[in-house]
Amino acid sequence: MSYKIALASSDGQTIDLHFGEITKVSVYEVKEEDGSFSFIEDRKIEYTPDPDAQSCEGGCSCGKGFSEKVAQSVKDCTYFLVAKIGNRPSRMLQENNVNCIEAPYSISQAVEKLNRYYVLHKKREEHVF
């Protein structure tokens, strides 16, 4: 089995972008059996900031509209990995069934850690009565 993840990277090597800095998200497919992963595509985030947007906790002015754009862009992914994210955008992603995780690591380190968590969590769910 496999699942999709999205991540915020400026260089394709590390997860180094804060949520409000995203201009694109990279989507990968991860095979849970061995943790191998492969790049699928980059998805550009088309967004024009609202000058009256409320600032996020981190001080950016991405606002609710930006969070909605990102949530729609990654709605087919199980996880979204980002260097840093505020509570409001994280909740919005969660409401769209996307688990958001702060993972400021190299992509390979983050995927390895994530897949271990994913497999363990999945095994626990199988044993719940």
Side-chain angles (χ1 to χ4, degrees):
M1 298 267 317
S2 63
Y3 56 97
K4 286 185 189 176
I5 64 169
L7 52 89
S9 176
S10 66
D11 61 5
Q13 302 295 314
T14 56
I15 299 165
D16 60 351
L17 294 176
H18 291 214
F19 185 79
E21 300 173 323
I22 298 168
T23 57
K24 70 175 176 69
V25 294
S26 300
V27 178
Y28 289 79
E29 180 179 53
V30 181
K31 293 182 181 174
E32 70 178 81
E33 299 82 23
D34 61 5
S36 63
F37 60 98
S38 56
F39 175 77
I40 298 174
E41 66 181 334
D42 282 329
R43 298 178 183 169
K44 190 170 182 179
I45 306 298
E46 297 286 341
Y47 178 71
T48 304
D50 178 358
D52 298 323
Q54 208 175 5
S55 292
C56 292
E57 293 89 347
C60 71
S61 58
C62 57
K64 184 179 178 186
F66 180 78
S67 298
E68 289 171 349
K69 286 277 190 186
V70 175
Q72 285 301 308
S73 182
V74 301
K75 67 182 178 183
D76 61 329
C77 298
T78 305
Y79 295 98
F80 181 62
L81 307 178
V82 64
K84 193 82 172 151
I85 188 168
N87 291 330
R88 194 176 342 168
S90 182
R91 276 191 310 271
M92 180 166 289
L93 287 162
Q94 190 69 41
E95 289 168 3
N96 285 278
N97 298 316
V98 178
N99 298 296
C100 189
I101 299 173
E102 289 184 355
Y105 308 108
S106 71
I107 293 172
S108 59
Q109 285 177 312
V111 172
E112 179 184 336
K113 291 174 186 231
L114 176 65
N115 195 58
R116 278 187 294 195
Y117 169 82
Y118 178 83
V119 170
L120 180 63
H121 185 69
K122 189 172 178 181
K123 286 180 182 177
R124 284 184 184 159
E125 285 181 352
E126 291 171 358
H127 297 292
V128 174
F129 295 93

